[in-house]
Amino acid sequence: MNYVFDPAPISTVAVHGSDKRIPVRRIFCIGRNYAAHAREMGKDPDRDPPFFFLKPADAVVDDGTTIPYPPQTENFHFEAELVAVIGIGGKNIPEEKSLDHVWGYGVGNDLTRRDLQLKAREQGRPWDLGKGFDRSAPVGPIFPVAAVGHPDKGTIKLTVNGEVKQEADLADLIWSIPEMISTLSHSMELRPGDLIMTGTPAGVGPLVEGDTCVVSIEGLGDLTTYIGPKE
Ligand code: MN
């Protein structure tokens, strides 16, 4: 292929216990998927159909990365999330077959410029710049299903400088992983390398320069992110 400029490098996430990497295609995120978080965002935690937004694939960063405090925000938030990685694509996937499409699971942090997101929400505008900015998707090493199965319970926790800010159980998800995969696949064809960030529990809050943010999920290890100075 005779490109007019070099194509972007392939974005990847780590695999636990391996030097192989997972090429990332898209990052789907679900909104308000824990009842207590929906309430803290001023919304009713009902069973209205789930809604999704995306981050660009190149928003991923590895465990242990220092992220510069992002521009154009004064309310930069953490969101602890379980991440599912699609290994086998498909469309119109029935719920009972959904888990066959998952390659593995890991720990993620849906970093958010909350002030931009809420302003967009008020104005009925897209969330992209509040959610899909540079380095907005730290993702820890992915554990293959062969090693960890399909986590549907277990503690999800986030600390900032050692202080617990979020703590919940994966069993509290409003929409389960099979329901999310099935719903998404009826809207777009899922492909290998698609990541699904499955929503955050209550307790979201700000990060500032110098903070160390650690997300942990039982059985899936820790994801540490350091916040550096503004670039
Ligand atoms: Mn989120």
Side-chain angles (χ1 to χ4, degrees):
M1 186 65 71
N2 195 11
Y3 295 116
V4 297
F5 46 74
D6 290 339
I10 293 169
S11 295
T12 63
V13 292
V15 173
H16 178 75
S18 168
D19 57 4
K20 288 188 175 174
R21 308 272 305 178
I22 291 168
V24 178
R25 186 160 186 270
R26 293 171 293 193
I27 307 171
F28 294 101
C29 305
I30 187 168
R32 294 177 215 133
N33 204 22
Y34 288 82
H37 173 62
R39 281 192 290 268
E40 79 179 347
M41 297 300 289
K43 298 291 174 184
D44 229 5
D46 49 29
R47 291 273 294 182
D48 276 348
F51 71 94
F52 297 90
F53 57 91
L54 288 97
K55 293 175 187 260
D58 67 1
V60 289
V61 295
D62 278 333
D63 176 41
T65 301
T66 300
I67 293 179
Y69 193 93
Q72 297 194 325
T73 183
E74 282 161 19
N75 200 16
F76 174 44
H77 273 205
F78 53 78
E79 293 193 355
E81 309 211 359
L82 170 68
V83 178
V85 177
I86 298 295
I88 298 170
K91 54 185 171 186
N92 303 328
I93 301 168
E95 241 174 74
E96 62 275 17
K97 299 267 186 215
S98 287
L99 293 180
D100 299 345
H101 294 259
V102 180
W103 189 90
Y105 297 91
V107 178
N109 197 341
D110 169 16
L111 294 175
T112 301
R113 294 193 284 201
R114 188 74 68 203
D115 38 5
L116 298 192
Q117 182 211 5
L118 293 181
K119 194 170 173 207
R121 195 178 86 176
E122 268 165 37
Q123 297 176 326
R125 290 179 179 166
W127 288 11
D128 300 46
L129 297 191
K131 285 289 196 178
F133 52 97
D134 295 340
R135 293 170 289 242
S136 58
V139 176
I142 304 302
F143 290 69
V145 166
V148 296
H150 298 281
D152 57 1
K153 57 181 182 309
T155 303
I156 176 169
K157 190 171 91 169
L158 181 145
T159 64
V160 179
N161 307 325
E163 192 183 321
V164 177
K165 301 289 188 183
Q166 294 184 284
E167 189 163 12
D169 197 286
L170 297 177
D172 298 335
L173 284 170
I174 296 173
W175 295 95
S176 69
I177 290 164
E179 287 170 328
M180 283 184 256
I181 291 171
S182 181
T183 301
L184 271 172
S185 77
H186 282 79
S187 182
M188 294 161 85
E189 181 174 357
L190 294 179
R191 301 295 299 268
D194 285 337
L195 270 45
I196 303 174
M197 299 188 84
T198 59
T200 199
V204 298
L207 292 166
V208 296
E209 179 185 339
D211 280 348
T212 299
C213 183
V214 181
V215 187
S216 316
I217 297 177
E218 218 175 310
L220 300 177
D222 295 339
L223 164 66
T224 302
T225 305
Y226 307 99
I227 309 306
K230 267 191 178 174
E231 267 183 335

